[in-house]
Structures are given as structure tokens and as C-alpha cells.
Amino acid sequence: SKGADVSRRLDTIASGLAELGMKDTQLVDLEKLSKRLASGKMTPEELGGELDVLQARLMDDVSQYSSQDALVGLQAGAWVRAVNVVATLLVQTRKASEGAHLFAQPALVEYFSDHLKKNTDKAVENPALEASLPHLAELRRIALKADPSADDVPVVQQNTAAILAQFRSAGGRP
């Protein structure tokens, strides 16, 4: 079932977070969500709100140990990954025309673009980030459109995949 599949993915996320040293309380919360989903006590659609709450608590914990630059980097990485997943699903299900409007996100793009502009010296020091800049510019171009089209969705998918690949090849370090 869809719930069981999402539950397995949550378990994979939890094991990765455990390896990174995440607090036991958050791992227990993630495990509870996974069990509720697998047992049918929660639908995959209801999971989004629960994950938002958990993400806010995780960001509070991470902010105690990280710089603002690191936090924005984590947010940007999560955003790029989420956009890639959505774009990939829209392309695979041939629903690009129905979902293209989801990529009109000027506020998010400006937030990350402004952060990069303030930290351009770090981009030059980081080959993965530097190689991602043209892809980010293309995402910005689409996000600033008043009405992105179905033709923009594969472009979003390709550019987000390229950004993710850059960071994977650099050992996952933003």
C-alpha cells in the first residue's frame, strides 16, 4: 500500500538521522509517524502536516549547533530535493500542465538567491555550489514567471537533478 511504502521511506530517513546523531526524541517521533502510517491510522496526505511540525522542531535543535549559513544551506537542499521530487512525479505521470503552477515560487527563490549573493565568496570556494549556480539561475527564471508552463516542468526536473548530482559527487557537502 501507499502508506506502507511511505512508512518504509520514513524508516530509512530515521536510520540516516540516527547515523548523523539525531536526538532520540525526534527519532521516536519519526518512528511513531511511520507506525501510524503503516497501520493505517494516518493517511499519507495527513503526514505532511505532521512532518511540518517535526521539521520545525528539528530546525530548532539544529539551530542550536549550526550557523545561519548552514541552516539556510539545509533549507535550500531540502527545497531543491522537494522540487525535484514534485517535478519528477509530474513528468512521470504526464501531469506537467496541471502542476506547472507549483514552480512559481518567487519568494523562495529570492530568499535563496539573496543568501547566495551575500555569500558569493563561499560559492567560489565550493566547486559543487559554483557548478550549481547556472542551474539555480534557470530555476529562478522559471520561478519568477507569472504562469510557468508544462514545458518548464522537465527543465525544473533536469536542473534540480543536476544540482543534487553536484552535491552527491562532492560527498553531499553543500
Side-chain angles (χ1 to χ4, degrees):
S1 78
K2 185 177 178 182
D5 183 44
V6 174
S7 177
R8 281 191 296 277
R9 290 180 186 183
L10 286 176
D11 292 341
T12 301
I13 291 168
S15 67
L17 290 173
E19 286 181 35
L20 293 172
M22 186 57 59
K23 289 183 179 180
D24 289 340
T25 53
Q26 280 119 7
L27 293 173
V28 168
D29 289 343
L30 199 54
E31 184 179 307
K32 286 178 187 175
L33 290 176
S34 177
K35 286 180 181 176
R36 284 176 52 204
L37 196 58
S39 69
K41 293 180 181 175
M42 176 175 45
T43 66
E45 291 76 23
E46 295 169 322
L47 179 64
E50 296 287 337
L51 288 176
D52 286 344
V53 171
L54 183 58
Q55 185 250 356
R57 287 202 331 259
L58 289 172
M59 290 305 289
D60 286 343
D61 286 346
V62 170
S63 67
Q64 295 175 20
Y65 306 105
S66 301
S67 70
Q68 185 63 30
D69 289 345
L71 290 176
V72 173
L74 285 171
Q75 291 171 334
W79 174 71
V80 168
R81 180 66 179 128
V83 169
N84 179 259
V85 167
V86 170
T88 299
L89 287 172
L90 290 172
V91 168
Q92 289 175 349
T93 60
R94 299 185 187 343
K95 299 211 182 248
S97 58
E98 290 95 335
H101 69 280
L102 296 170
F103 303 109
Q105 298 288 329
L108 279 171
V109 172
E110 290 301 328
Y111 173 73
F112 295 125
S113 295
D114 288 348
H115 181 74
L116 279 177
K117 287 176 193 168
K118 292 176 190 169
N119 294 289
T120 50
D121 56 324
K122 292 178 184 163
V124 173
E125 295 170 12
N126 185 328
L129 184 54
E130 186 175 16
S132 297
L133 292 176
H135 302 291
L136 288 168
E138 185 62 14
L139 292 175
R140 183 178 189 276
R141 183 189 67 75
I142 292 168
L144 294 176
K145 284 184 170 184
D147 192 22
S149 71
D151 293 337
D152 292 319
V153 177
V155 176
V156 168
Q157 179 193 23
Q158 293 161 4
N159 281 280
T160 53
I163 292 168
L164 294 168
Q166 288 296 327
F167 285 97
R168 273 191 221 109
S169 69
R173 292 182 303 275

